[in-house]
Amino acid sequence: MFSNIKAQDPWVLSTDSSGFDNYYGVTVANGMIGIISSPEPLKIKEVVLAGVYDIYNRGRVNNFLPNYNLLNLNLSINGDYIHRENISNFRQELNMKEGAFSASFDYKDVATITYSYYALRNLPHCVLLDVNIKAKVNSKIDVENILETPSSFRDHQDYYHEIDRPNLYIPLLTSVAESPLKNIKIAVSNTFLFEEASNLEPKIFHKMEDSNMHSAKFVKEIKAGEKYSFSVVGTLISSVQTPDPYNQAERLTIYAKLEGKERLLNRHKKAWNKLWESDIQIDGDPQAQQDVHNMLYHLYSFTRENTDLSPSPMGLSGLGYNGHVFWDSEIFMYPPMLILHPEIAKSMIEYRFRRLNAAKQQAAIYGYAGAMFPWESAATGTEECPVWALSGTFEHHITADVAIAAWQYYLVTQDKEWLKEKGWPILKATAEFWISRVELNSKGQYEIKNVVAADEWAENIDNNAYTNGAAIKNLQYATECALTLGITAPKEWNKIAENIPIFKMENGVTREYDTYTGQKIKQADVNLLAYPLNIITDKKQIEKDLKYYESKVPEKDTPAMTQAIFSILYSRLGNSDSAYHFFKDAYWPNLNPPFRVMAEYKGGTNPYFATGAGGVLQSIIMGFGGLDIDPHGGIRQLKTAMPNHWKKVTITGVGIDKKTYIQENNNR
């Protein structure tokens, strides 16, 4: 059950009960379902189902919904209910390599209990909880699995079905309900898996607890010295994923039960092993190695191939940011996935392609041409940003961010058929947006006025450096795309791209926006022109901009990916000390106990911040590891500087050819 834990184990994060007083749950997820751990034995804090949004209790915008918690157990031994206060030696661990959360504890001198749960990677809507009880004395156990309908759901129905045939008995505990506005139907179903022969399995009792709760339970007597094992397997699915969630939930649960625990877990582990063929290995820093695996694990957990899903800043770790999709996806989480798992990155850009028509409608509403992607996106692709937040109306660089991601997918994969069918429609429509968005001034420059900057403390300003730079790249990439496909692009695309201004201050530093005079900044903006946009390439200018703007970022209240950008740039400039300083500063002060889960800000309490993980991973992949998306196609490796105490960085499973890249530290 448990690994042999060692200090800074590269794959396992663990804690004992001393770490439960200040406890931040860690997520087990499969890109569709997220399960968040609890400090209580045999309990789950929360379950998140991707893609399921409705308006409830968080303003007038759609948000992730609190969902059915399908793995919570009540366990009594000899009539005594198990809880945190009457157990000892309580330990928990996350095995990142296998996507498994495990725990163990002792109940007095009566029994030792271990359990593990999984969001099955091979079955996106299914979860499994495996429980093992070793009795020290003769014991009677009472096990109850409870389904409670969230208070936000409407018109719920509870069902208990028994499929009873010769040599086959499947009791199904099922609930079905509608979302708050009755736009979506959600269904959950689970059952027990036993290791006894079917005719020896415990009898299941169904109980209606109250108006919104019911349960299935069994009783079993265990002799001293015996070990007893059972599992719960369940399904959570909605009408977003299937037109008939009620029946499909029960079908999937039946399927999982008859597959059996061993087959389910073998397939789950095989899927995780496949993911980890793309890995980052650090020689010389065990703690950094563990932390990087932690970040990769979360990005892998929050995404999956063959979908049209893209992660929110908090992934599937909870309801943070309402589950909305921001530029965080394209600029920070997408590049590591594109380098390591292009097939998953394809799902992330598919999310935008499926919502291209909504972006076109949004542009038309504001009087623009082409497609205008929303700052906050949920199910439909319409704007979901709260009205009080001006970003939803003015933070337009998101449109260029989507276009940049689309072109990057082609560069890495060289998939011309995809480019024709999906990349070109995105690049063309976003270029048309910028043509209608710019304003020609008396100097022949095409200005972009009245925006919220990438530095979101700068609202309703003109000629933001990052917005202008991203628009330039959008127009250039659209032109390159047309050339690649043998299509004649409008000449004005290049003309306008060449004349969108980026200004400097009197001291030679790139000016963040027209009226910028040295104010504090929330996050990286100007520095993004050097990476990832590659518009500023002169090393002296990059360093000058870095030195200036790093002093403008406050000690707190700035998101983790800002320092990650600084780290990348310093690594590429050959400054290993500064690169390592900002690498550490990007995430170390943001970690919360006991599983080193990353918050958005230093001292923050809103983990897990997948955006920050994406940024820090880029500081290793594109910084210390030197990988770069080649503007002529494919992936290349640059010579960069890494921390002095690191020996080398090895990145495996890169790109569509799954190559291995090694960056040696020649400065040791």
Side-chain angles (χ1 to χ4, degrees):
M1 174 70 66
F2 284 88
S3 311
N4 291 322
I5 307 300
K6 58 184 179 181
Q8 289 88 40
D9 186 298
W11 294 109
V12 177
L13 297 159
S14 63
T15 187
D16 58 28
S17 56
S18 64
F20 292 174
D21 292 334
N22 186 22
Y23 186 97
Y24 293 80
V26 71
T27 307
V28 167
N30 60 12
M32 185 65 69
I33 292 178
I35 309 169
I36 298 91
S37 70
S38 167
E40 296 297 326
L42 296 165
K43 301 297 181 185
I44 305 298
K45 177 190 174 186
E46 192 170 35
V47 176
V48 177
L49 180 59
V52 179
Y53 300 89
D54 203 352
I55 295 175
Y56 174 72
N57 205 31
R58 306 190 95 179
R60 308 198 310 261
V61 297
N62 283 282
N63 51 274
F64 270 174
L65 296 174
N67 225 303
Y68 283 105
N69 196 333
L70 67 170
L71 290 183
N72 273 343
L73 287 185
N74 285 341
L75 172 64
S76 294
I77 301 179
N78 297 332
D80 194 5
Y81 171 70
I82 299 296
H83 52 86
R84 216 170 115 191
E85 284 69 34
N86 64 1
I87 64 173
S88 60
N89 301 319
F90 193 13
R91 291 185 59 245
Q92 295 181 342
E93 73 171 44
L94 174 70
N95 185 322
M96 297 178 284
K97 193 172 183 65
E98 296 183 353
F101 182 92
S102 300
S104 69
F105 58 87
D106 292 320
Y107 168 62
K108 300 181 179 177
D109 293 324
V110 176
T112 296
I113 294 93
T114 61
Y115 62 93
S116 300
Y117 59 75
Y118 312 81
L120 295 172
R121 190 77 194 190
N122 47 301
L123 288 175
H125 290 278
C126 294
V127 299
L128 175 72
L129 169 66
D130 185 39
V131 182
N132 299 274
I133 302 173
K134 185 175 181 180
K136 300 176 183 178
V137 300
N138 292 343
S139 300
K140 180 181 179 181
I141 65 167
D142 189 316
V143 179
E144 184 179 32
N145 177 225
I146 299 172
L147 281 184
E148 181 178 2
T149 300
S151 60
S152 61
F153 286 3
R154 302 288 179 257
D155 297 341
H156 83 275
Q157 298 291 324
D158 295 328
Y159 303 98
Y160 180 70
H161 298 149
E162 292 182 330
I163 298 173
D164 195 359
R165 298 178 184 172
N167 302 317
L168 178 65
Y169 174 63
I170 306 177
L172 293 168
L173 187 69
T174 302
S175 294
V176 182
E178 293 183 321
S179 64
L181 297 185
K182 300 186 177 183
N183 297 325
I184 298 169
K185 182 173 283 188
I186 302 101
V188 61
S189 183
N190 57 15
T191 192
F192 289 107
L193 278 69
F194 296 107
E195 298 187 358
E196 299 98 320
S198 59
N199 61 324
L200 299 177
E201 290 182 357
K203 180 176 175 57
I204 304 300
F205 301 92
H206 178 243
K207 180 182 178 183
M208 294 300 300
E209 301 284 348
D210 57 27
S211 61
N212 69 333
M213 186 187 303
H214 67 142
S215 66
K217 65 178 289 185
F218 71 88
V219 177
K220 180 74 177 180
E221 293 189 358
I222 314 173
K223 293 181 179 180
E226 284 186 347
K227 181 179 178 182
Y228 185 71
S229 301
F230 68 92
S231 302
V232 176
V233 68
T235 301
L236 180 63
I237 197 166
S238 78
S239 55
V240 173
Q241 294 89 20
T242 178
D244 185 11
Y246 176 19
N247 284 319
Q248 194 60 57
E250 293 196 336
R251 288 190 193 104
L252 280 168
T253 300
I254 293 168
Y255 173 82
K257 178 177 175 69
L258 296 182
E259 279 285 274
K261 180 178 72 174
E262 184 177 352
R263 284 172 58 80
L264 290 173
L265 292 183
N266 283 342
R267 291 178 61 198
H268 168 81
K269 291 173 184 177
K270 184 178 179 181
W272 269 101
N273 285 337
K274 187 72 175 174
L275 286 170
W276 285 115
E277 288 177 4
S278 298
D279 189 17
I280 299 170
Q281 297 158 15
I282 299 169
D283 188 352
D285 192 335
Q287 187 59 69
Q289 177 68 83
Q290 185 191 68
D291 291 338
V292 166
H293 277 161
N294 198 352
M295 296 171 204
L296 272 178
Y297 162 80
H298 279 90
L299 283 197
Y300 289 174
S301 295
F302 296 158
T303 56
R304 65 183 297 119
E305 61 182 304
N306 297 321
T307 70
D308 68 337
L309 297 173
S310 193
S312 82
M314 302 302 169
L316 297 174
S317 70
L319 309 181
Y321 282 109
N322 296 323
H324 293 170
V325 180
F326 297 70
W327 77 312
D328 304 51
S329 180
E330 281 77 23
I331 300 302
F332 296 102
M333 291 181 265
Y334 178 82
M337 299 309 298
L338 180 58
I339 293 291
L340 298 174
H341 282 287
E343 73 282 1
I344 295 178
K346 187 177 185 180
S347 292
M348 296 168 71
I349 201 66
E350 181 72 13
Y351 172 85
R352 298 296 190 179
F353 175 75
R354 296 272 184 97
R355 291 154 182 80
L356 180 59
N357 284 336
K360 291 179 178 179
Q361 293 170 3
Q362 176 86 343
I365 288 172
Y366 281 86
Y368 298 124
M372 176 182 172
F373 281 94
W375 178 243
E376 297 189 34
S377 183
T380 65
T382 58
E383 183 60 71
E384 297 283 0
C385 185
V387 171
W388 57 263
L390 298 182
S391 293
T393 308
F394 296 103
E395 196 155 355
H396 295 169
H397 65 78
I398 179 63
T399 294
D401 300 328
V402 173
I404 290 166
W407 183 245
Q408 287 177 333
Y409 180 78
Y410 169 70
L411 288 177
V412 169
T413 66
Q414 295 292 286
D415 187 342
K416 192 172 285 189
E417 191 63 30
W418 178 90
L419 186 67
K420 180 180 179 182
E421 293 181 4
K422 298 181 177 180
W424 169 244
I426 292 172
L427 285 155
K428 178 176 182 291
T430 52
E432 289 170 346
F433 167 78
W434 291 112
I435 296 304
S436 68
R437 181 67 177 82
V438 297
E439 300 177 35
L440 181 63
N441 66 19
S442 59
K443 299 177 181 178
Q445 297 171 322
Y446 291 91
E447 298 182 276
I448 302 175
K449 295 188 173 184
N450 198 18
V451 299
V452 171
D455 163 24
E456 291 174 330
W457 288 346
E459 297 179 327
N460 300 100
I461 46 83
D462 298 339
N463 293 314
N464 167 238
Y466 178 74
T467 303
N468 285 18
I472 290 169
K473 302 307 287 190
N474 190 161
L475 291 166
Q476 290 175 342
Y477 290 161
T479 302
E480 288 185 55
C481 179
L483 181 64
T484 301
L485 296 174
I487 298 169
T488 301
K491 292 182 180 179
E492 62 179 339
W493 288 3
N494 256 339
K495 177 184 177 183
I496 291 174
E498 291 171 356
N499 290 283
I500 293 176
I502 294 173
F503 298 113
K504 289 185 179 181
M505 296 186 286
E506 293 76 8
N507 58 7
V509 172
T510 304
R511 189 184 294 273
E512 188 181 270
Y513 51 87
D514 275 4
T515 54
Y516 180 78
T517 54
Q519 296 89 336
K520 291 288 186 180
I521 65 173
K522 177 184 177 183
Q523 60 203 77
D525 189 305
V526 163
N527 308 103
L528 297 170
L529 297 178
Y531 178 88
L533 297 187
N534 203 35
I535 288 175
I536 296 177
T537 58
D538 179 76
K539 289 187 176 182
K540 290 183 179 180
Q541 185 66 49
I542 293 171
E543 185 172 20
K544 181 178 290 188
D545 290 344
L546 268 173
K547 292 293 186 184
Y548 183 83
Y549 284 106
E550 72 181 55
S551 71
K552 300 301 179 182
V553 176
E555 179 61 27
K556 293 185 177 181
D557 302 324
T558 186
M561 62 278 196
T562 297
Q563 288 87 346
I565 295 297
F566 296 163
S567 176
I568 295 167
L569 293 174
Y570 274 121
S571 177
R572 291 186 169 194
L573 289 173
N575 186 334
S576 60
D577 290 341
S578 292
Y580 181 65
H581 165 76
F582 283 111
F583 163 73
K584 286 283 294 288
D585 196 49
Y587 79 93
W588 196 282
N590 303 53
L591 298 178
N592 281 300
F595 298 106
R596 298 177 72 83
V597 292
M598 188 191 304
E600 183 174 5
Y601 301 102
K602 293 178 174 69
T605 58
N606 60 341
Y608 188 87
F609 189 47
T611 308
V616 176
L617 287 171
Q618 287 188 65
S619 73
I620 296 178
I621 297 170
M622 285 80 164
F624 305 142
L627 299 193
D628 193 47
I629 298 173
D630 193 324
H632 303 293
I635 296 167
R636 62 185 180 180
Q637 189 172 28
L638 310 174
K639 185 58 188 171
T640 57
M642 69 176 66
N644 292 323
H645 62 290
W646 292 17
K647 297 177 182 177
K648 65 179 178 179
V649 173
T650 303
I651 306 172
T652 63
V654 172
I656 58 173
D657 297 324
K658 297 301 176 185
K659 294 181 179 179
T660 295
Y661 289 85
I662 299 173
Q663 187 87 299
E664 302 273 0
N665 190 348
N666 296 322
N667 296 324
R668 284 174 59 86

